[in-house]
Amino acid sequence: MAEQVKSFFHEQTKTWSHVFIGADGRRAAIIDPVLDYEASSGRTQTNSVDALIAWFRERELTLEWILETHAHADHLSAAPHVKAALGGRLGIGDGIRKVQAGFKKIFNMNDLEPDGSVFDHLFADGERFEVGGTSFEVMATPGHTNDSVTYVADGHAFIGDTLFAPDFGSARCDFPGGDASELFSSIRKLYALGDDTRLYLCHDYAPEGREPRPWFSVAEQRQANRHVREETSEQEFVAMRTARDKDLPLPELIIPSVQVNVRAGHMPPPEDNGIAYIKVPVNTL
Ligand SMILES: [Fe+2]
């Protein structure tokens, strides 16, 4: 059988974007596409995601879904650019409403209705949908954020930041709506998918010069994940996560990322001079 997943690595933010091709070999989904953003100038570029789009067009695939695993805090979503180029519907977990409500307050986003309506579809836990004849199930995997979901199909699971590579561990739980014991339960849900399931990462920070990898099997994670192995207790995990999160600096792009990503990848509306601005809340985050 032809390879069903093609993954693209965004070096600057260490993000994996994935293309999943359905059983019919024609229709596909794109998971977590990335927009290039330079914080010093406020300039966006589409060079990275354009390579993915070119690959997609070369294969004459049809895009059914753009899937976000969560509202990312460390890179900007390229969903609007992908949709303009290839079509498709944009989906995210229905927990996005809580994330929108939280950041709407912090950034005073008067243009944003925190009801998820800027996305085309909000996925509920357990919901099913299809990509080119392959059936997907949505699994709520909160803990890193309220809206984190895993998209599961046919031995493949797109897990967002529910886990990182075994040698890096797990994602922080100290963003608004984060919760270490929820993350532990979500990771256990991934481990219950069965040893051969491929867990596709949203990031690989690839320590000590290792080559980034787009996925690890459940078996690899259960045996070797430095934060959650088969034998790790919830108590141990929560204690480790809580202690660790106290000292982590915020991601470099958190301020632009959350403002754009809760708007489904759109910039804030332009002001009366025609320019859109990203805000910085002083002494708040
Ligand atoms: Fe994240």
Side-chain angles (χ1 to χ4, degrees):
M1 197 171 73
E3 197 62 33
Q4 274 183 290
V5 182
K6 167 79 176 171
S7 302
F8 294 82
F9 192 62
H10 188 253
E11 183 59 47
Q12 188 206 346
T13 61
K14 311 290 180 199
T15 305
W16 282 110
S17 303
H18 309 283
V19 180
F20 179 89
I21 304 168
D24 68 359
R26 314 284 311 165
R27 290 174 289 169
I30 293 176
I31 298 112
D32 291 333
V34 182
L35 186 71
D36 300 320
Y37 182 77
E38 189 180 73
S40 57
S41 63
R43 287 227 158 249
T44 65
Q45 297 273 352
T46 58
N47 298 345
S48 306
V49 73
D50 283 341
L52 183 158
I53 290 170
W55 182 91
F56 197 95
R57 282 193 171 131
E58 235 167 73
R59 271 143 200 86
E60 298 179 359
L61 296 167
T62 300
L63 185 59
E64 294 201 305
W65 284 101
I66 303 163
L67 302 172
E68 298 283 1
T69 54
H70 61 297
H72 312 278
D74 64 329
H75 67 269
L76 278 64
S77 166
H81 180 71
V82 170
K83 199 170 154 176
L86 302 173
R89 298 173 73 202
L90 174 60
I92 196 165
D94 59 10
I96 186 66
R97 291 178 293 217
K98 284 188 196 159
V99 179
Q100 286 177 321
F103 286 120
K104 178 184 166 100
K105 240 183 238 161
I106 294 172
F107 289 97
N108 200 23
M109 297 181 196
N110 295 320
D111 61 298
L112 181 75
E113 241 3 282
D115 60 1
S117 58
V118 287
F119 294 84
D120 297 319
H121 186 75
L122 302 186
F123 288 110
D125 187 25
E127 189 173 338
R128 289 183 164 275
F129 63 102
E130 253 191 42
V131 176
T134 299
S135 174
F136 266 82
E137 181 169 350
V138 180
M139 209 162 89
T141 44
H144 169 57
T145 64
N146 272 320
D147 64 332
S148 291
V149 292
T150 293
Y151 299 102
V152 187
D154 199 12
H156 303 78
F158 299 92
I159 65 173
D161 293 352
T162 311
L163 268 180
F164 292 140
D167 55 4
F168 205 81
S170 62
R172 63 196 302 164
C173 296
D174 60 331
F175 292 154
D179 184 307
S181 43
E182 270 188 356
L183 183 60
F184 184 80
S185 317
S186 294
I187 292 168
R188 295 299 313 177
K189 275 161 79 178
L190 296 185
Y191 288 179
L193 290 172
D195 274 353
D196 294 335
T197 303
R198 294 180 176 191
L199 303 177
Y200 286 83
L201 306 174
C202 182
H203 297 289
D204 188 3
Y205 299 101
E208 290 167 30
R210 171 174 66 70
E211 275 297 302
R213 268 183 59 180
W215 62 271
F216 289 83
S217 69
V218 167
E220 287 177 288
Q221 292 281 16
R222 284 166 65 149
Q223 281 155 23
N225 188 285
R226 56 181 296 195
H227 294 165
V228 190
R229 273 189 281 274
E230 188 50 37
E231 65 275 14
T232 309
S233 72
E234 176 175 344
Q235 220 177 2
E236 273 173 277
F237 175 74
V238 171
M240 176 287 301
R241 199 60 269 171
T242 310
R244 214 178 142 84
D245 287 347
K246 280 201 187 98
D247 298 325
L248 289 179
L250 287 178
E252 200 184 330
L253 294 183
I254 185 170
I255 286 175
S257 297
V258 295
Q259 290 176 73
V260 170
N261 294 340
V262 298
R263 291 181 170 101
H266 295 287
M267 292 296 152
E271 297 194 4
D272 55 14
N273 60 357
I275 300 173
Y277 293 84
I278 301 277
K279 287 182 187 174
V280 179
V282 176
N283 296 329
T284 302
L285 290 181

